[in-house]
Amino acid sequence: SAEKARREAAPPASGSAQAGYGRLLADQNLWIMIGLYLCYTTGQYGYLLWLPSILKDLTRQSLTSVGWLSAPPLVAAIAGVYIFGAASDVKGNRRLWCAVSLWGFGVALGLVTVFAHRVWIAYSMIVVAGLLSKGMQSPFWSSPALVFAPGVVGGARGVINGIGNLGGFVGPVLVGWIARETGGNMNYGMAALAVSLIAGGCLTMLLPKATAGYEFQKERAAATSK
């Protein structure tokens, strides 16, 4: 594809193909991506691992009912991966769709706390959160190849994944600690996850223009005009 050819032929924003890992670690784009992925995994794992407790606290249903209610958000998450991946492919704008997913996920969790007294509205927001919970994955993991030199892009992905996944510990622990300190109220924990996700969306918009599809759109327009 034109996008793949551009990645292979043009020097990326981070430097030449010979850039070493020392230069990679000094690249601010690497740390932006680590930060936003840490914000994402904090929210995503906090939501996923505490989902049964959130539903139990919200609906006051039996464990069996909670199990059934947990299914739609998880099924919706699968659909979200394809929806956001396809949307980001249209114009090659990885940055925008990654941010939209994170912001939407955060807002949906925030609305759960706002409508906690209206059970089915809150539950519908939980399903929406599920739809958005993995939506950033496709556009996000397509971005390192647009930012870093081919010789280090694999290492960049490894560093981002390794450090960013610390959110898998932070999110669940944060929600548990807040619930304990507030007498078991899950709303404050979800609000904290929402803040983390919205912060991640803001960090996403700091990524370079290469992730926003500008070159992709130019190439598509040139190919169409031939």
Side-chain angles (χ1 to χ4, degrees):
S1 66
E3 183 178 358
K4 182 178 179 181
R6 184 185 63 77
R7 291 201 304 260
E8 293 174 348
S14 296
S16 70
Q18 289 75 36
Y21 287 102
R23 185 179 299 179
L24 172 67
L25 293 173
D27 191 328
Q28 68 173 0
N29 291 320
L30 177 73
W31 296 100
I32 290 171
M33 297 190 83
I34 288 171
L36 77 89
Y37 196 62
L38 181 63
C39 288
Y40 165 69
T41 56
T42 296
Q44 197 263 342
Y45 281 103
Y47 164 79
L48 182 64
L49 294 182
W50 283 95
L51 180 59
S53 297
I54 292 169
L55 290 172
K56 179 70 175 175
D57 185 65
L58 176 68
T59 65
R60 308 295 179 183
Q61 297 293 311
S62 67
L63 290 176
T64 300
S65 297
V66 166
W68 284 108
L69 290 171
S70 298
L74 301 180
V75 173
I78 299 171
V81 173
Y82 291 97
I83 290 171
F84 279 84
S88 72
D89 281 342
V90 174
K91 294 187 177 180
N93 196 334
R94 313 304 182 187
R95 185 174 71 181
L96 174 63
W97 288 103
C98 183
V100 167
S101 173
L102 290 167
W103 285 332
F105 190 7
V107 169
L109 288 183
L111 289 175
V112 173
T113 68
V114 171
F115 293 104
H117 59 293
R118 297 181 179 273
V119 175
W120 292 110
I121 295 178
Y123 178 70
S124 68
M125 290 299 100
I126 289 175
V127 176
V128 171
L131 175 70
L132 298 164
S133 65
K134 292 185 181 295
M136 66 86 72
Q137 295 276 3
S138 293
F140 178 77
W141 289 116
S142 298
S143 297
L146 301 171
V147 177
F148 304 108
V152 297
V153 68
R157 285 193 177 103
V159 174
I160 293 165
N161 191 53
I163 300 177
N165 268 314
L166 291 174
F169 169 79
V170 174
V173 170
L174 178 64
V175 174
W177 178 77
I178 292 175
R180 186 188 66 190
E181 295 297 313
T182 57
N185 190 325
M186 302 299 296
N187 288 336
Y188 294 104
M190 282 189 289
L193 298 181
V195 169
S196 177
L197 291 162
I198 291 170
C202 293
L203 284 174
T204 303
M205 298 308 291
L206 298 178
L207 290 174
K209 288 184 177 181
T211 63
Y214 293 109
E215 294 300 321
F216 178 86
Q217 293 172 48
K218 288 179 182 177
E219 290 168 358
R220 175 170 287 185
T224 304
S225 63
K226 290 180 180 180

